[in-house]
Amino acid sequence: MEITIVYDNEAKTGLKKGWGFSCYIETEDRKILFDTGWNGCALRNNLSTLNIPIEDIDILVLSHQHWDHIGGVPEILDANPDLDIYAPASFSEKLKNEMSAHSTLHEITEKCRICNNVFSTGELGNGPKEQSLILKTDTGIYAITGCAHPGLEAIVGAAAAEGDVHGIIGGLHDSQEYNMLNGLKFIGAGHCTSNIDTIRTRFPNAFVPIAAGSRFKL
């Protein structure tokens, strides 16, 4: 399984950066885009530069309804209307109606399987409700987060139900639940992680900086 960061506050040379997050996940039989950042043109540019055809994406997973995670949805649907979209049921009815008019929408409430070795945590938290992804790999479980609004205890707890959690990738917002990061081998904290310097200092052997263009084999 391979994951590529395609949108983040930071970007490698030749790619565009912006407030938000998106990553591309290649499994043995599916290609998944998780979130879209806020600037659809920048997202499309980055995907093209990274040689990721939008038309090849099978599944779009949206973590929560904040603008910096769904802004690129129109660009993606314009290029690939045959997607399966997995979005929290708490999304607004207008947005769900718009997406379902262009694609196949799956409303997420509970933890569920999305495809082989990829699961949704289900809607977590009280506001905003947010889903994260759980990836099963040969080295262990990885959690993929948008902003981690529900907190690491809820997210890592849901992932741990599937096995030993090896790593976490994405935005960790203002979390100070450092105890939930103990023992992880891979902490790819980016986007909205306000305590990133503390995490880097406390977990120097596990912390991995991420930016648009970062690629990891899991």
Side-chain angles (χ1 to χ4, degrees):
M1 194 177 295
E2 185 171 273
I3 182 168
T4 304
I5 310 302
V6 295
Y7 197 105
D8 189 71
N9 298 20
E10 304 297 330
K12 294 189 174 185
T13 303
L15 298 170
K16 296 183 182 296
K17 64 181 181 180
W19 186 265
F21 182 72
S22 177
C23 66
Y24 176 72
I25 303 162
E26 292 182 84
T27 74
E28 59 186 15
D29 57 359
R30 290 290 185 273
K31 296 176 174 65
I32 302 167
L33 188 68
F34 177 80
D35 283 345
T36 67
W38 83 270
N39 187 322
C41 292
L43 175 65
R44 192 162 189 165
N45 171 87
N46 289 354
L47 289 169
S48 177
T49 301
L50 293 166
N51 296 314
I52 300 173
I54 295 177
E55 296 81 5
D56 287 354
I57 297 170
D58 302 302
I59 296 169
L60 174 61
V61 178
L62 300 174
S63 62
H64 63 299
Q65 198 182 328
H66 280 174
W67 60 274
D68 51 334
H69 294 262
I70 63 170
V73 169
E75 289 280 342
I76 298 300
L77 294 187
D78 181 62
N80 185 352
D82 297 323
L83 283 169
D84 281 293
I85 300 180
Y86 291 79
S90 57
F91 270 35
S92 73
E93 292 301 320
K94 288 184 179 180
L95 181 54
K96 289 190 291 187
N97 289 339
E98 187 67 26
M99 290 191 298
S100 62
H102 298 279
S103 61
T104 302
L105 177 65
H106 306 268
E107 297 187 36
I108 300 297
T109 54
E110 304 295 327
K111 185 176 181 180
C112 67
R113 177 183 180 276
I114 289 178
C115 63
N116 191 33
N117 293 321
V118 179
F119 299 82
S120 167
T121 61
E123 287 186 309
L124 300 175
N126 297 314
K129 290 186 180 295
E130 182 176 340
Q131 68 171 329
S132 296
L133 281 184
I134 302 168
L135 308 182
K136 282 188 173 183
T137 77
D138 293 338
T139 57
I141 303 296
Y142 284 81
I144 310 298
T145 71
C147 276
H149 289 295
L152 294 185
E153 183 175 0
I155 295 168
V156 175
E162 299 298 324
D164 293 331
V165 181
H166 188 86
I168 190 167
I169 300 172
L172 305 185
H173 203 51
D174 298 330
S175 177
Q176 297 181 25
E177 300 168 275
Y178 305 122
N179 62 307
M180 300 306 300
L181 301 176
N182 287 332
L184 296 187
K185 303 296 190 296
F186 191 105
I187 303 172
H191 176 38
C192 58
T193 308
S194 60
N195 297 311
I196 197 165
D197 290 336
T198 300
I199 294 171
R200 181 188 290 110
T201 300
R202 291 185 63 156
F203 305 98
N205 295 325
F207 180 83
V208 179
I210 64 172
S214 298
R215 233 179 207 133
F216 307 103
K217 281 193 176 295
L218 307 182

